[in-house]
Amino acid sequence: MTSRLLPRFSFGAFDPAAADRPADALKIICVLPTLNPYGGVVSVVNALNILIDQGHHATIVSLSRHRSDLVFPKTEPIYLEDREDFPQDFTAGFDAYLATSWETVPIVVGMAGSNPGAVTFYYVQDFEPDFYGEDEAETRQKALATYSMIDNRFVKTEHLQRKLAEHGFHATLIPPGMNLDIFYPRSGPPSTRSKRIIAMARPTPDDHRGYEVLMEVYRRLASSHPEVELIVFGTDDLPAPGFAVENLGRVAPSQLPDLYSSCQVFLDTSRFHGFGRTGAEALACGTAAVLSDSGGISSYARHEQNALIVPVGDVQATVTAIEALVANPNWMDQLAANGLETVSDLSDYVATAAIESLLRSAISDSRSGQ
């Protein structure tokens, strides 16, 4: 069989520190749908990087050859050109086979299938069947069916745990995390900052990131509050909106804290979220937040306690919430301070320790049952 795994250099060069690894180091292979800087990808890569730093062996396989320069795995990824064809000898011998999206599940199951005692895991990042509308019922069903293909499922929010349970699937809850070594305030409270609002703009075919709502909110704010700067990031090329919006395009994670910290309010109008990483990042930078009631944010956001939460798709409620914060700087500062306190323990190190414990427990159970 001809290999369709196309690394940038030979397989033998992947593991230069193998001799220094502890005897109980885990050997993990993880399949990602892409290495674009989406929230779920960032969560997985951050965890794998910590595990690598701790002496574990982690191999990353990506289903897309496109690689963003905004994602920084600490191991050279392998790009799977043909999803049906991979060298069994290379994918043998891992302790844990980790899927991260519905498209990666069949591949992970295939990799592990010829390896006796292999343990598979599914780190569910979002309830992906919701990505597909009524005209994509077949794809939605395929996504839903993957939850039955791997028994060891885990999630980082109660929202996702409930979504899976509604369809009869158990998932272990681990804490969410982010890199608190990077995300922290770079300036004073929001009232001391320039009158700027920032949002991630990411048009999608199903508009699950709420781009159309975002643009209408910004259009109304541009008309009623011309003194407020309206900023977006996340996509290089966006349609001209017909009013003043500054598009910063793709922004490196290392630059996001300064960006969040330069704004008074972060806005997210998404229809649904597995976690809502950008909202948590903004709170960690001491920025007030207006968030749509999109599911995953419930792991950290509390209405009128540390953020303002508005109904999904409600343009006027979103505009009203932003105007209320801009008109009341003391309240804006208090919400931001509460938000900063809330997310101060959402550490990637804590999340990764939970993942390692879960992997070890399932692997131990599997081996003791052989």
Side-chain angles (χ1 to χ4, degrees), residues 178-269:
M178 59 182 165
N179 191 344
L180 295 176
D181 293 334
I182 294 177
F183 291 99
Y184 58 86
R186 303 300 208 271
S187 64
S191 65
T192 66
R193 305 174 185 178
S194 299
K195 290 186 177 181
R196 308 175 86 199
I197 300 169
I198 188 166
M200 185 179 74
R202 183 169 290 164
T204 61
D206 61 353
D207 199 28
H208 73 270
R209 291 297 174 235
Y211 176 74
E212 297 299 330
V213 172
L214 170 63
M215 287 296 102
E216 179 58 20
V217 169
Y218 268 14
R219 185 190 68 79
R220 296 187 189 186
L221 289 172
S223 175
S224 60
H225 296 276
E227 77 283 5
V228 176
E229 296 179 65
L230 305 174
I231 301 170
V232 295
F233 72 95
T235 303
D236 287 331
D237 297 316
L238 291 173
F243 53 88
V245 175
E246 182 180 3
N247 180 21
L248 301 180
R250 297 187 309 151
V251 178
S254 60
Q255 298 173 328
L256 281 173
D258 284 330
L259 184 55
Y260 291 135
S261 299
S262 71
C263 299
Q264 291 187 326
V265 178
F266 172 80
L267 172 62
D268 190 337
T269 57

Coordinates of all heavy atoms in Angstrom, one line a residue, residues 178-269:
M178 N -7.7 27.8 29.2 CA -7.1 28.7 28.2 C -5.7 29.1 28.7 O -5.4 28.9 29.9 CB -7.9 29.9 27.9 CG -8.3 30.8 29.0 SD -9.3 32.1 28.5 CE -9.9 32.7 30.1
N179 N -4.9 29.7 27.9 CA -3.6 30.1 28.3 C -3.6 31.4 29.1 O -3.5 32.5 28.5 CB -2.7 30.2 27.1 CG -1.2 30.3 27.4 OD1 -0.9 30.6 28.5 ND2 -0.4 30.1 26.4
L180 N -3.6 31.2 30.4 CA -3.6 32.4 31.3 C -2.3 33.1 31.4 O -2.2 34.2 31.9 CB -4.2 32.1 32.7 CG -5.6 31.6 32.7 CD1 -6.0 31.2 34.1 CD2 -6.6 32.7 32.2
D181 N -1.2 32.4 30.8 CA 0.1 33.1 30.8 C 0.1 34.2 29.7 O 0.9 35.1 29.7 CB 1.2 32.1 30.4 CG 1.4 31.1 31.6 OD1 1.1 31.5 32.7 OD2 1.8 30.0 31.3
I182 N -0.9 34.1 28.8 CA -1.0 35.0 27.7 C -2.2 36.0 27.9 O -2.1 37.2 27.7 CB -1.2 34.3 26.3 CG1 0.1 33.6 26.0 CG2 -1.6 35.3 25.2 CD1 -0.1 32.8 24.7
F183 N -3.3 35.4 28.3 CA -4.6 36.2 28.4 C -4.7 36.8 29.8 O -5.1 36.1 30.7 CB -5.8 35.4 28.0 CG -5.8 35.0 26.5 CD1 -5.3 33.8 26.1 CD2 -6.2 36.0 25.6 CE1 -5.3 33.5 24.7 CE2 -6.2 35.7 24.3 CZ -5.7 34.5 23.8
Y184 N -4.4 38.1 29.9 CA -4.5 38.8 31.1 C -4.6 40.3 30.7 O -4.2 40.7 29.6 CB -3.4 38.6 32.1 CG -2.0 38.9 31.6 CD1 -1.5 40.2 31.7 CD2 -1.2 37.9 31.0 CE1 -0.2 40.5 31.2 CE2 0.1 38.2 30.6 CZ 0.6 39.5 30.7 OH 1.8 39.7 30.2
P185 N -5.1 41.2 31.6 CA -5.3 42.6 31.2 C -4.0 43.3 30.9 O -3.0 43.2 31.7 CB -6.0 43.2 32.4 CG -6.6 42.1 33.1 CD -5.7 40.9 32.9
R186 N -4.0 44.1 29.8 CA -2.8 44.9 29.5 C -3.1 46.4 29.8 O -2.2 47.2 29.5 CB -2.5 44.7 28.0 CG -2.2 43.3 27.6 CD -1.0 42.6 28.3 NE -0.4 41.6 27.5 CZ -0.7 40.3 27.5 NH1 -1.7 39.9 28.2 NH2 0.0 39.5 26.8
S187 N -4.2 46.7 30.3 CA -4.6 48.1 30.6 C -5.5 48.1 31.8 O -5.9 47.1 32.3 CB -5.1 48.8 29.4 OG -6.4 48.2 29.0
G188 N -6.0 49.3 32.1 CA -6.9 49.5 33.3 C -8.3 49.0 32.9 O -8.6 48.4 31.9
P189 N -9.3 49.3 33.8 CA -10.7 48.9 33.6 C -11.2 49.5 32.3 O -10.7 50.5 31.8 CB -11.4 49.4 34.8 CG -10.5 50.4 35.4 CD -9.1 50.0 35.0
P190 N -12.3 48.9 31.8 CA -12.8 49.4 30.5 C -13.1 50.9 30.4 O -12.9 51.5 29.4 CB -14.1 48.6 30.3 CG -13.9 47.4 31.1 CD -13.0 47.8 32.3
S191 N -13.6 51.5 31.5 CA -14.0 52.9 31.5 C -12.8 53.8 31.2 O -13.0 55.0 30.8 CB -14.6 53.3 32.8 OG -13.7 53.2 33.9
T192 N -11.6 53.3 31.4 CA -10.4 54.1 31.1 C -9.8 53.9 29.7 O -8.9 54.6 29.3 CB -9.2 53.7 32.1 OG1 -8.8 52.4 31.9 CG2 -9.7 53.8 33.6
R193 N -10.5 53.1 29.0 CA -10.0 52.8 27.6 C -10.8 53.6 26.6 O -11.8 54.2 26.9 CB -10.2 51.3 27.3 CG -9.6 50.3 28.3 CD -9.9 48.9 28.1 NE -9.4 48.0 29.1 CZ -9.6 46.7 29.1 NH1 -10.4 46.1 28.2 NH2 -9.1 45.9 30.1
S194 N -10.3 53.6 25.4 CA -11.0 54.2 24.3 C -12.3 53.6 24.0 O -12.5 52.4 24.3 CB -10.1 54.1 23.0 OG -8.9 54.8 23.1
K195 N -13.3 54.4 23.5 CA -14.6 53.8 23.2 C -14.5 53.0 22.0 O -14.7 53.4 20.8 CB -15.6 55.0 23.0 CG -15.9 55.7 24.3 CD -17.0 56.8 24.1 CE -17.3 57.5 25.4 NZ -18.4 58.4 25.3
R196 N -14.2 51.7 22.2 CA -14.1 50.7 21.1 C -14.8 49.5 21.5 O -14.8 49.0 22.6 CB -12.6 50.4 20.9 CG -11.7 51.6 20.7 CD -10.2 51.1 20.6 NE -9.8 50.7 19.3 CZ -8.8 50.0 19.0 NH1 -8.1 49.4 20.0 NH2 -8.5 49.7 17.8
I197 N -15.5 48.9 20.5 CA -16.2 47.6 20.6 C -15.5 46.7 19.6 O -15.2 47.0 18.5 CB -17.7 47.7 20.3 CG1 -18.3 48.7 21.3 CG2 -18.3 46.4 20.4 CD1 -19.7 49.1 20.9
I198 N -15.2 45.4 20.1 CA -14.6 44.5 19.2 C -15.4 43.2 19.1 O -16.0 42.8 20.1 CB -13.1 44.2 19.7 CG1 -12.4 43.3 18.7 CG2 -13.2 43.5 21.1 CD1 -10.9 43.3 18.9
A199 N -15.4 42.5 18.0 CA -16.1 41.3 17.8 C -15.3 40.5 16.8 O -14.6 41.0 15.9 CB -17.5 41.5 17.3
M200 N -15.4 39.1 16.9 CA -14.9 38.3 15.8 C -15.9 38.1 14.7 O -17.0 37.8 15.0 CB -14.5 36.9 16.4 CG -13.8 36.0 15.4 SD -13.3 34.4 16.0 CE -14.9 33.6 16.1
A201 N -15.5 38.4 13.5 CA -16.4 38.3 12.4 C -15.9 37.1 11.5 O -14.8 37.1 11.0 CB -16.3 39.6 11.5
R202 N -16.8 36.1 11.4 CA -16.5 34.9 10.7 C -17.8 34.5 9.9 O -18.6 33.7 10.4 CB -16.0 33.8 11.6 CG -15.5 32.6 10.8 CD -14.8 31.6 11.7 NE -13.5 32.2 12.1 CZ -12.7 31.7 13.1 NH1 -13.2 30.8 13.9 NH2 -11.5 32.3 13.3
P203 N -17.9 34.9 8.7 CA -19.1 34.5 7.9 C -19.0 32.9 7.7 O -17.9 32.4 7.3 CB -19.0 35.2 6.6 CG -18.1 36.4 6.9 CD -17.1 35.9 8.0
T204 N -20.1 32.2 7.8 CA -20.2 30.8 7.5 C -21.4 30.5 6.7 O -22.4 31.3 6.8 CB -20.2 30.0 8.8 OG1 -21.3 30.3 9.6 CG2 -18.9 30.2 9.7
P205 N -21.5 29.4 6.0 CA -22.7 29.1 5.2 C -23.9 29.1 6.0 O -25.0 29.5 5.6 CB -22.3 27.8 4.6 CG -20.8 27.7 4.5 CD -20.4 28.5 5.7
D206 N -23.9 28.5 7.2 CA -25.1 28.4 8.1 C -25.2 29.6 9.0 O -26.1 29.7 9.8 CB -25.1 27.1 8.8 CG -23.9 27.0 9.8 OD1 -22.9 27.8 9.7 OD2 -23.8 26.0 10.6
D207 N -24.2 30.5 9.0 CA -24.2 31.7 9.8 C -24.2 31.4 11.3 O -24.8 32.1 12.1 CB -25.3 32.7 9.5 CG -25.0 34.1 10.0 OD1 -23.8 34.5 10.1 OD2 -26.0 34.8 10.3
H208 N -23.6 30.3 11.7 CA -23.7 29.9 13.1 C -22.8 30.8 14.0 O -23.0 30.8 15.2 CB -23.3 28.4 13.4 CG -21.9 28.1 13.2 ND1 -21.3 27.7 12.0 CD2 -20.9 28.0 14.1 CE1 -20.0 27.4 12.2 NE2 -19.7 27.6 13.5
R209 N -22.0 31.6 13.4 CA -21.3 32.6 14.2 C -22.0 34.0 14.2 O -21.4 35.0 14.7 CB -19.8 32.8 13.7 CG -19.0 31.5 14.0 CD -18.8 31.3 15.4 NE -18.1 30.1 15.8 CZ -18.5 29.1 16.6 NH1 -19.7 29.3 17.1 NH2 -17.9 28.1 16.8
G210 N -23.1 34.0 13.7 CA -24.0 35.2 13.8 C -23.4 36.5 13.1 O -23.7 37.6 13.6
Y211 N -22.8 36.3 12.0 CA -22.2 37.4 11.2 C -23.2 38.4 10.8 O -23.0 39.6 10.9 CB -21.4 36.9 10.0 CG -20.8 38.0 9.2 CD1 -19.7 38.7 9.6 CD2 -21.4 38.3 7.9 CE1 -19.2 39.7 8.8 CE2 -20.9 39.3 7.1 CZ -19.8 40.0 7.6 OH -19.3 41.0 6.8
E212 N -24.4 38.0 10.3 CA -25.4 38.9 9.8 C -26.0 39.7 10.9 O -26.2 40.9 10.8 CB -26.5 38.1 9.1 CG -26.1 37.4 7.8 CD -25.6 38.3 6.8 OE1 -26.0 39.5 6.7 OE2 -24.7 37.9 6.0
V213 N -26.2 39.1 12.1 CA -26.6 39.9 13.3 C -25.6 40.9 13.7 O -25.9 42.0 14.0 CB -26.9 38.9 14.4 CG1 -27.2 39.7 15.7 CG2 -28.1 38.0 14.1
L214 N -24.3 40.4 13.7 CA -23.2 41.3 14.1 C -23.2 42.6 13.2 O -23.1 43.7 13.7 CB -21.9 40.6 14.0 CG -20.6 41.5 14.2 CD1 -20.6 42.1 15.5 CD2 -19.4 40.6 13.9
M215 N -23.3 42.4 11.9 CA -23.2 43.5 11.0 C -24.4 44.5 11.2 O -24.3 45.7 11.1 CB -23.1 43.1 9.6 CG -21.8 42.5 9.2 SD -20.4 43.7 9.3 CE -19.7 43.2 10.8
E216 N -25.6 43.9 11.5 CA -26.8 44.8 11.7 C -26.6 45.6 13.0 O -27.0 46.7 13.1 CB -28.1 44.0 11.7 CG -29.3 44.8 11.9 CD -29.5 45.9 10.9 OE1 -29.0 45.9 9.8 OE2 -30.3 46.8 11.3
V217 N -26.1 44.9 14.1 CA -25.9 45.6 15.3 C -24.9 46.7 15.1 O -25.1 47.9 15.6 CB -25.3 44.6 16.4 CG1 -24.8 45.4 17.6 CG2 -26.4 43.6 16.8
Y218 N -23.8 46.5 14.4 CA -22.8 47.5 14.1 C -23.4 48.6 13.3 O -23.0 49.8 13.5 CB -21.6 46.9 13.4 CG -20.5 46.4 14.4 CD1 -20.7 46.3 15.8 CD2 -19.2 46.1 13.9 CE1 -19.7 45.9 16.6 CE2 -18.2 45.7 14.8 CZ -18.5 45.6 16.1 OH -17.4 45.2 17.0
R219 N -24.2 48.3 12.3 CA -24.8 49.3 11.5 C -25.6 50.3 12.3 O -25.5 51.5 12.2 CB -25.7 48.7 10.4 CG -26.3 49.7 9.4 CD -27.3 49.1 8.5 NE -28.5 48.7 9.3 CZ -29.5 49.6 9.6 NH1 -29.3 50.9 9.3 NH2 -30.5 49.2 10.3
R220 N -26.4 49.8 13.3 CA -27.2 50.6 14.1 C -26.4 51.5 15.1 O -26.6 52.6 15.3 CB -28.2 49.8 14.9 CG -29.3 49.1 14.0 CD -30.3 48.4 14.8 NE -31.2 47.6 14.0 CZ -32.3 46.9 14.4 NH1 -32.7 47.1 15.7 NH2 -33.0 46.2 13.6
L221 N -25.3 50.8 15.6 CA -24.4 51.6 16.5 C -23.7 52.7 15.7 O -23.4 53.8 16.3 CB -23.4 50.6 17.1 CG -24.0 49.7 18.2 CD1 -23.0 48.7 18.6 CD2 -24.5 50.5 19.4
A222 N -23.3 52.4 14.5 CA -22.6 53.4 13.7 C -23.4 54.6 13.5 O -23.0 55.8 13.4 CB -22.1 52.8 12.4
S223 N -24.8 54.4 13.4 CA -25.7 55.5 13.1 C -26.0 56.3 14.4 O -26.0 57.5 14.4 CB -27.0 54.9 12.6 OG -28.0 55.9 12.4
S224 N -26.1 55.5 15.5 CA -26.6 56.2 16.8 C -25.4 56.6 17.6 O -25.5 57.5 18.5 CB -27.5 55.3 17.6 OG -26.8 54.1 17.9
H225 N -24.2 56.0 17.5 CA -23.1 56.3 18.3 C -21.8 56.4 17.4 O -20.9 55.6 17.5 CB -22.9 55.2 19.4 CG -24.0 55.2 20.4 ND1 -24.1 56.0 21.5 CD2 -25.1 54.4 20.4 CE1 -25.1 55.7 22.2 NE2 -25.8 54.7 21.5
P226 N -21.7 57.4 16.6 CA -20.6 57.6 15.7 C -19.2 57.8 16.5 O -18.2 57.6 15.9 CB -20.9 58.8 14.9 CG -21.9 59.6 15.7 CD -22.7 58.6 16.5
E227 N -19.3 58.1 17.8 CA -18.1 58.3 18.5 C -17.4 57.0 18.9 O -16.3 57.0 19.4 CB -18.4 59.1 19.8 CG -19.1 58.4 20.9 CD -20.6 58.2 20.7 OE1 -21.1 58.5 19.7 OE2 -21.2 57.6 21.7
V228 N -18.2 55.9 18.8 CA -17.7 54.6 19.2 C -17.0 53.9 18.0 O -17.6 53.8 16.9 CB -18.8 53.7 19.7 CG1 -18.3 52.3 20.1 CG2 -19.4 54.3 21.0
E229 N -15.8 53.4 18.2 CA -15.1 52.7 17.1 C -15.6 51.2 17.1 O -15.7 50.6 18.1 CB -13.6 52.6 17.4 CG -12.9 54.0 17.3 CD -11.4 53.9 17.6 OE1 -10.7 53.2 16.8 OE2 -10.9 54.3 18.7
L230 N -15.9 50.8 15.9 CA -16.4 49.4 15.7 C -15.3 48.6 15.0 O -14.8 48.9 13.9 CB -17.6 49.4 14.9 CG -18.7 50.3 15.4 CD1 -19.9 50.4 14.4 CD2 -19.2 49.9 16.8
I231 N -14.8 47.5 15.7 CA -13.7 46.7 15.2 C -14.1 45.3 15.1 O -14.8 44.7 15.9 CB -12.5 46.9 16.2 CG1 -12.1 48.3 16.3 CG2 -11.3 46.0 15.8 CD1 -11.1 48.6 17.4
V232 N -13.6 44.6 14.0 CA -13.7 43.2 13.9 C -12.4 42.5 13.6 O -11.4 43.2 13.1 CB -14.7 42.8 12.8 CG1 -16.1 43.3 13.1 CG2 -14.3 43.3 11.4
F233 N -12.3 41.2 13.9 CA -11.1 40.5 13.5 C -11.5 39.1 13.2 O -12.6 38.7 13.4 CB -10.1 40.5 14.7 CG -10.5 39.7 15.9 CD1 -10.0 38.3 16.0 CD2 -11.3 40.2 16.9 CE1 -10.4 37.6 17.1 CE2 -11.7 39.4 17.9 CZ -11.3 38.1 18.1
G234 N -10.6 38.3 12.7 CA -10.8 36.9 12.4 C -10.9 36.5 11.0 O -10.6 35.3 10.6
T235 N -11.2 37.4 10.1 CA -11.3 37.1 8.6 C -10.6 38.2 7.8 O -10.9 39.4 8.1 CB -12.7 36.9 8.2 OG1 -13.3 35.9 9.0 CG2 -12.8 36.5 6.7
D236 N -9.7 37.8 6.9 CA -9.0 38.9 6.2 C -9.9 39.7 5.2 O -9.9 40.9 5.2 CB -7.9 38.2 5.4 CG -6.7 37.8 6.3 OD1 -6.5 38.4 7.3 OD2 -6.0 36.8 5.9
D237 N -10.7 39.0 4.5 CA -11.6 39.6 3.5 C -13.0 39.6 3.9 O -13.6 38.5 4.0 CB -11.3 39.0 2.1 CG -9.9 39.2 1.6 OD1 -9.4 40.3 1.8 OD2 -9.3 38.2 1.1
L238 N -13.6 40.7 4.1 CA -15.1 40.8 4.4 C -15.8 41.7 3.4 O -15.2 42.7 2.9 CB -15.3 41.3 5.8 CG -14.8 40.4 7.0 CD1 -15.0 41.1 8.3 CD2 -15.7 39.1 7.0
P239 N -17.0 41.5 3.1 CA -17.8 42.4 2.3 C -17.8 43.8 2.9 O -17.9 43.9 4.1 CB -19.2 41.8 2.2 CG -19.0 40.3 2.6 CD -17.9 40.3 3.6
A240 N -17.8 44.8 2.1 CA -17.9 46.2 2.5 C -19.3 46.4 3.2 O -20.3 46.2 2.5 CB -17.7 47.2 1.4
P241 N -19.3 46.8 4.5 CA -20.6 46.9 5.1 C -21.4 48.2 4.8 O -22.6 48.2 5.2 CB -20.2 46.9 6.6 CG -18.9 47.5 6.7 CD -18.2 47.1 5.4
G242 N -20.7 49.2 4.3 CA -21.4 50.4 4.0 C -21.4 51.4 5.1 O -22.1 52.4 5.1
F243 N -20.6 51.1 6.2 CA -20.5 52.1 7.3 C -19.1 51.8 7.9 O -18.4 50.9 7.4 CB -21.5 51.9 8.3 CG -21.7 50.5 8.8 CD1 -21.0 50.0 9.9 CD2 -22.6 49.6 8.2 CE1 -21.1 48.7 10.4 CE2 -22.8 48.3 8.7 CZ -22.0 47.9 9.8
A244 N -18.6 52.6 8.8 CA -17.3 52.6 9.3 C -17.0 51.4 10.2 O -17.5 51.4 11.4 CB -16.9 53.9 10.0
V245 N -16.3 50.4 9.8 CA -15.9 49.3 10.6 C -14.4 49.0 10.2 O -14.0 49.0 9.1 CB -16.7 48.0 10.3 CG1 -16.1 46.8 11.1 CG2 -18.2 48.2 10.7
E246 N -13.6 48.9 11.3 CA -12.2 48.5 11.0 C -12.0 47.0 11.1 O -12.3 46.4 12.2 CB -11.3 49.2 12.1 CG -9.8 48.9 11.9 CD -8.9 49.6 12.9 OE1 -9.4 50.2 13.8 OE2 -7.7 49.5 12.7
N247 N -11.5 46.4 10.0 CA -11.3 45.0 10.0 C -9.8 44.7 10.2 O -9.0 45.1 9.3 CB -11.8 44.4 8.7 CG -11.6 42.9 8.7 OD1 -11.4 42.2 9.7 ND2 -11.5 42.3 7.5
L248 N -9.4 44.1 11.3 CA -8.0 43.8 11.5 C -7.6 42.4 10.9 O -6.4 42.1 11.0 CB -7.8 43.8 13.0 CG -8.1 45.1 13.8 CD1 -7.8 44.9 15.3 CD2 -7.3 46.2 13.2
G249 N -8.5 41.7 10.3 CA -8.2 40.5 9.7 C -7.8 39.4 10.7 O -8.2 39.4 11.9
R250 N -7.0 38.4 10.3 CA -6.6 37.4 11.2 C -5.5 37.9 12.1 O -4.6 38.7 11.8 CB -5.9 36.2 10.4 CG -6.9 35.5 9.4 CD -6.3 34.3 8.8 NE -5.0 34.6 8.2 CZ -4.0 33.7 8.1 NH1 -4.1 32.5 8.6 NH2 -2.8 34.1 7.6
V251 N -5.7 37.6 13.4 CA -4.8 38.1 14.5 C -4.2 36.9 15.2 O -4.8 36.0 15.6 CB -5.6 39.0 15.4 CG1 -4.7 39.5 16.6 CG2 -6.3 40.1 14.7
A252 N -2.9 37.0 15.4 CA -2.2 35.9 16.1 C -2.6 35.9 17.6 O -2.9 37.0 18.2 CB -0.6 36.2 16.1
P253 N -2.7 34.7 18.2 CA -3.1 34.6 19.6 C -2.3 35.5 20.5 O -2.8 36.1 21.4 CB -2.9 33.1 19.9 CG -3.0 32.4 18.6 CD -2.5 33.4 17.5
S254 N -1.0 35.7 20.2 CA -0.1 36.5 21.0 C -0.5 38.0 21.0 O -0.2 38.7 21.9 CB 1.3 36.3 20.6 OG 1.5 36.7 19.3
Q255 N -1.2 38.4 19.9 CA -1.6 39.8 19.8 C -3.0 40.1 20.3 O -3.4 41.2 20.5 CB -1.6 40.2 18.3 CG -0.2 40.1 17.7 CD -0.2 40.3 16.2 OE1 -1.1 40.0 15.5 NE2 0.9 40.9 15.7
L256 N -3.8 39.0 20.5 CA -5.2 39.2 21.0 C -5.3 39.9 22.3 O -6.2 40.7 22.5 CB -5.9 37.9 21.0 CG -6.4 37.3 19.6 CD1 -7.0 35.9 19.8 CD2 -7.5 38.3 19.1
P257 N -4.5 39.5 23.3 CA -4.6 40.2 24.6 C -4.5 41.7 24.5 O -5.3 42.5 25.2 CB -3.5 39.6 25.5 CG -3.3 38.3 24.9 CD -3.5 38.5 23.4
D258 N -3.5 42.2 23.8 CA -3.4 43.7 23.6 C -4.7 44.2 22.9 O -5.1 45.3 23.3 CB -2.2 44.0 22.8 CG -0.9 43.9 23.6 OD1 -0.9 44.1 24.8 OD2 0.1 43.6 23.0
L259 N -5.2 43.5 22.0 CA -6.4 44.0 21.3 C -7.6 44.0 22.2 O -8.3 45.0 22.2 CB -6.6 43.0 20.1 CG -7.8 43.4 19.1 CD1 -7.6 44.8 18.6 CD2 -7.8 42.4 18.0
Y260 N -7.9 42.9 22.9 CA -9.0 42.9 23.8 C -8.8 44.0 24.8 O -9.8 44.7 25.2 CB -9.0 41.6 24.6 CG -9.5 40.3 23.8 CD1 -8.7 39.1 23.9 CD2 -10.6 40.4 22.9 CE1 -9.1 38.0 23.2 CE2 -10.9 39.2 22.2 CZ -10.2 38.0 22.4 OH -10.6 36.9 21.7
S261 N -7.6 44.2 25.3 CA -7.3 45.1 26.4 C -7.4 46.6 26.0 O -7.4 47.5 26.8 CB -6.0 44.9 27.0 OG -5.9 43.6 27.6
S262 N -7.5 46.8 24.7 CA -7.6 48.2 24.2 C -9.1 48.6 24.0 O -9.4 49.7 23.6 CB -6.9 48.3 22.8 OG -7.6 47.6 21.8
C263 N -10.0 47.7 24.2 CA -11.4 47.9 23.9 C -12.3 47.9 25.2 O -11.9 47.2 26.2 CB -12.0 46.8 23.0 SG -11.1 46.8 21.4
Q264 N -13.4 48.6 25.2 CA -14.3 48.6 26.3 C -15.2 47.3 26.4 O -15.4 46.8 27.4 CB -15.2 49.8 26.3 CG -14.4 51.1 26.6 CD -15.4 52.3 26.7 OE1 -16.4 52.4 26.1 NE2 -15.0 53.2 27.6
V265 N -15.7 46.9 25.2 CA -16.7 45.9 25.1 C -16.3 44.8 24.1 O -15.9 45.2 22.9 CB -18.1 46.4 24.8 CG1 -19.1 45.3 24.7 CG2 -18.5 47.4 25.8
F266 N -16.4 43.6 24.4 CA -16.3 42.5 23.4 C -17.7 42.0 23.1 O -18.5 41.8 24.1 CB -15.5 41.3 24.0 CG -15.5 40.1 23.1 CD1 -14.7 40.0 21.9 CD2 -16.3 39.0 23.4 CE1 -14.8 38.9 21.1 CE2 -16.4 37.9 22.5 CZ -15.6 37.9 21.4
L267 N -18.0 41.8 21.9 CA -19.3 41.3 21.4 C -19.3 40.0 20.7 O -18.4 39.8 19.8 CB -20.0 42.4 20.5 CG -21.3 42.0 19.8 CD1 -22.4 41.8 20.8 CD2 -21.7 43.1 18.8
D268 N -20.1 39.1 21.1 CA -20.3 37.8 20.3 C -21.7 37.5 20.1 O -22.5 37.5 21.0 CB -19.7 36.7 21.2 CG -19.5 35.3 20.4 OD1 -20.3 35.2 19.4 OD2 -18.7 34.5 20.8
T269 N -22.1 37.4 18.8 CA -23.5 37.2 18.4 C -23.7 35.8 17.8 O -24.7 35.6 17.1 CB -23.9 38.2 17.3 OG1 -23.0 38.1 16.2 CG2 -23.8 39.6 17.9

